[in-house]
Amino acid sequence: LFCSQIREHCKELLLTDAQISEMMNRLLEDVQKGLGKDTHATSIVKCFVTYVQDLPNGTERGKFLALDLGGTNFRVLIITLGEKHVFDMKSKIYAIPQSIMLGSGTQLFDHIAECLANFMKEHSVGHERLPLGFTFSFPLTQRGLTKGLLERWTKGFDCSGCVGEDVVQLLKDALARRNDVQIDVCAILNDTTGTLMSCAWKNFNCRIGLIVGTGSNACYVEKVENAEMFDGDKSKPYVIINTEWGAFGDDGRLDIVRTEYDREIDQYSINPGKQLHEKMISGMYMGELARLILVKFTKQGLLFGGRGSDLLYKRGNFFTKYVSEIESDKRGSYMNCRQVLEELGLNHATDQDCSNVRYICECVSKRAAHLVSAGVATLINKMGKDSVTVGIDGSVYRFHPHFHDLMTEKIAQLVTPGIKFDLMLSEDGSGRGAALVAAVACRDR
């Protein structure tokens, strides 16, 4: 009985073909507004020009630094590109304490510069002047390959004195304050662009870079004449566009599919009313979405005999990794599910409860996969190439047991008949991708 009631209540999480079709039309319209000169300023899906116009061709050689800032930690990498796709990479992860994430921009960039300098000394390149690619995974208005103004913070960051500033300059200023290492910043890029470049190095057919991790975003290769905001080299036919599709729906155009759970997530987030599409997809919110549904059904007496726990009722306590773990159980086995529920103090869960919890997780992750697939299919159809590789990175795509299959199946239904596509896991887009953008920039210099 409870099972059928739960399925009934979860129906609003299952997107119909009509809803998906309508969302694809709306997203395409919004992308076109972002690209257009007259509509860009008021557009929701910004479609920022990246100034990256050349994909790797396999001849890139040399030693490069990469800096990857996009979440709760950042990485510094040194990458050596050699013959025939041989590359050597050494990297180190540094934490960003909450106090810095919510402190001043000066603090943030001084912290980054210090870690970068230490890393160079550890790897005995403190005396060399190396080219650096900077992956900065927040919305940027780019003015060139080495100039990008921060549009707004997302993903839990809120450093003062950065919005509207040139992030490359902030990094250079911090390095100048130290004055102990020489770095040539060759490019600033978004993690989607890095993902596309990293995959294109191995697969020249790659035309879309997609992130499904802490955030969700995509970039794609657009014809220069369609990118009306582009003021760079028009003699080259293409430029990569960073869609910033996480903001899709911030004007209410996603309300056709948003639920009470989405509204609650948004209300309690650090950026209410913003990134509404991202909040239905990404790893930062997926676990919390599942938790809100579990709480509602528990309070209605449909789960756990109506007995929840303090841990279940606390915001943020149901991690996105739990969704992946629960869905990794073999059908009919609830080993991971029980372990998760025990961690939450729900030792009294029955097999039926476990089955229902799994179903709820599946609804949340399937909806995310279908939303992403609708976006990818929209871009594939817009480009109109008969064969496209999609480079993908991010923890949700990487670690969720069924996300890849859900996407493959859905995109196949949504692309123009006759178009072939494949999904490729990026090997470290934001690291190697940044080095490759720097390498291509150096190659062209």
Side-chain angles (χ1 to χ4, degrees):
L1 173 69
F2 287 162
C3 196
S4 62
Q5 281 179 275
I6 281 180
R7 281 172 194 255
E8 192 53 44
H9 280 300
C10 283
K11 270 213 176 100
E12 59 179 337
L13 297 163
L14 306 174
L15 304 174
T16 65
D17 292 347
Q19 284 174 316
I20 287 181
S21 172
E22 178 58 26
M23 276 192 305
M24 287 176 70
N25 292 335
R26 290 182 181 195
L27 178 62
L28 180 61
E29 282 173 16
D30 282 4
V31 164
Q32 277 158 339
K33 284 181 190 162
L35 292 170
K37 221 182 179 81
D38 300 336
T39 45
H40 175 81
T42 56
S43 67
I44 296 290
V45 179
K46 281 295 179 198
C47 290
F48 292 120
V49 169
T50 66
Y51 292 85
V52 177
Q53 292 187 267
D54 301 285
L55 297 179
N57 60 16
T59 64
E60 296 76 23
R61 302 281 177 272
K63 217 187 286 183
F64 303 91
L65 288 168
L67 179 59
D68 171 20
L69 173 68
T72 36
N73 43 41
F74 72 97
R75 288 181 312 153
V76 182
L77 307 93
I78 184 162
I79 295 171
T80 310
L81 298 173
E83 300 293 323
K84 293 203 171 68
H85 292 184
V86 175
F87 82 109
D88 174 59
M89 181 170 102
K90 296 185 174 61
S91 67
K92 186 163 178 179
I93 295 179
Y94 299 89
I96 301 180
Q98 188 91 24
S99 59
I100 291 185
M101 283 171 77
L102 301 173
S104 73
T106 308
Q107 277 175 299
L108 174 66
F109 282 93
D110 280 346
H111 178 56
I112 291 169
E114 179 181 4
C115 297
L116 185 52
N118 290 344
F119 179 85
M120 287 179 75
K121 288 167 194 163
E122 277 167 35
H123 291 281
S124 316
V125 291
H127 55 287
E128 294 180 49
R129 186 180 183 90
L130 293 178
L132 176 133
F134 182 10
T135 300
F136 183 79
S137 309
F138 300 93
L140 278 180
T141 302
Q142 288 202 233
R143 296 271 186 262
L145 199 49
T146 55
K147 185 169 186 182
L149 314 180
L150 175 63
E151 183 81 3
R152 62 175 179 275
W153 287 114
T154 56
K155 294 180 288 196
F157 275 73
D158 196 12
C159 299
S160 60
C162 297
V163 172
E165 295 297 321
D166 174 11
V167 184
V168 174
Q169 198 53 52
L170 295 177
L171 176 62
K172 285 180 173 171
D173 292 347
L175 287 163
R177 282 194 288 274
R178 298 183 60 81
N179 197 21
D180 57 348
V181 287
Q182 296 294 302
I183 288 169
D184 185 13
V185 183
C186 282
I188 184 164
L189 59 145
N190 181 275
D191 52 355
T192 56
T193 304
T195 297
L196 195 161
M197 295 293 275
S198 180
C199 287
W201 193 56
K202 286 196 164 170
N203 182 328
F204 296 146
N205 207 24
C206 188
R207 291 291 179 278
I208 293 177
L210 171 68
I211 300 288
V212 197
T214 308
S216 169
N217 188 19
C219 70
Y220 72 102
V221 175
E222 181 56 278
K223 296 188 181 93
V224 162
E225 61 264 28
N226 294 341
E228 294 180 8
M229 299 299 291
F230 180 59
D231 54 5
D233 183 352
K234 300 273 169 67
S235 70
K236 293 177 176 171
Y238 298 106
V239 62
I240 296 178
I241 296 293
N242 166 22
T243 64
E244 286 296 336
W245 79 13
F248 177 44
D250 289 6
D251 56 352
R253 282 173 43 105
L254 266 178
D255 290 357
I256 49 168
V257 293
R258 290 179 74 228
T259 63
E260 62 183 281
Y261 316 114
D262 298 300
R263 290 189 284 277
E264 182 162 348
I265 287 254
D266 180 51
Q267 189 188 329
Y268 286 95
S269 66
I270 192 169
N271 54 348
K274 299 272 184 265
Q275 303 293 100
L276 298 186
H277 184 243
E278 176 168 86
K279 284 171 183 165
M280 296 177 76
I281 293 169
S282 85
M284 188 157 177
Y285 311 99
M286 192 185 279
E288 181 64 6
L289 274 169
R291 190 191 71 84
L292 292 173
I293 301 167
L294 294 174
V295 166
K296 182 184 176 184
F297 291 174
T298 304
K299 290 186 170 168
Q300 288 178 344
L302 299 174
L303 276 176
F304 314 128
R307 289 188 296 140
S309 68
D310 292 349
L311 287 169
L312 176 66
Y313 291 156
K314 188 165 181 285
R315 255 173 233 298
N317 258 359
F318 195 90
F319 308 124
T320 295
K321 67 171 185 175
Y322 288 168
V323 176
S324 292
E325 285 166 6
I326 287 168
E327 289 192 54
S328 297
D329 274 330
K330 287 192 173 58
R331 286 267 166 231
S333 149
Y334 302 115
M335 207 170 70
N336 293 341
C337 187
R338 285 197 174 282
Q339 206 173 337
V340 167
L341 295 177
E342 278 169 24
E343 279 179 44
L344 293 168
L346 299 163
N347 302 28
H348 53 285
T350 63
D351 273 4
Q352 185 59 63
D353 286 329
C354 288
S355 170
N356 288 335
V357 168
R358 181 185 173 118
Y359 181 71
I360 290 162
C361 288
E362 285 171 345
C363 288
V364 169
S365 59
K366 182 186 272 185
R367 185 183 73 157
H370 287 179
L371 283 165
V372 170
S373 301
V376 170
T378 303
L379 297 179
I380 290 176
N381 293 345
K382 183 180 194 309
M383 289 188 294
K385 266 175 61 81
D386 51 7
S387 162
V388 175
T389 296
V390 183
I392 314 183
D393 205 347
S395 49
V396 173
Y397 179 79
R398 214 175 257 279
F399 300 122
H400 186 281
H402 312 301
F403 216 83
H404 170 89
D405 296 340
L406 288 167
M407 281 183 66
T408 303
E409 186 186 354
K410 200 64 186 175
I411 295 169
Q413 294 167 16
L414 301 175
V415 292
T416 308
I419 293 185
K420 287 195 187 59
F421 70 93
D422 63 310
L423 309 182
M424 173 181 179
L425 179 64
S426 157
E427 295 300 322
D428 189 31
S430 11
R432 188 170 73 189
L436 281 161
V437 175
V440 170
C442 291
R443 181 189 89 195
D444 291 352
R445 281 184 191 176

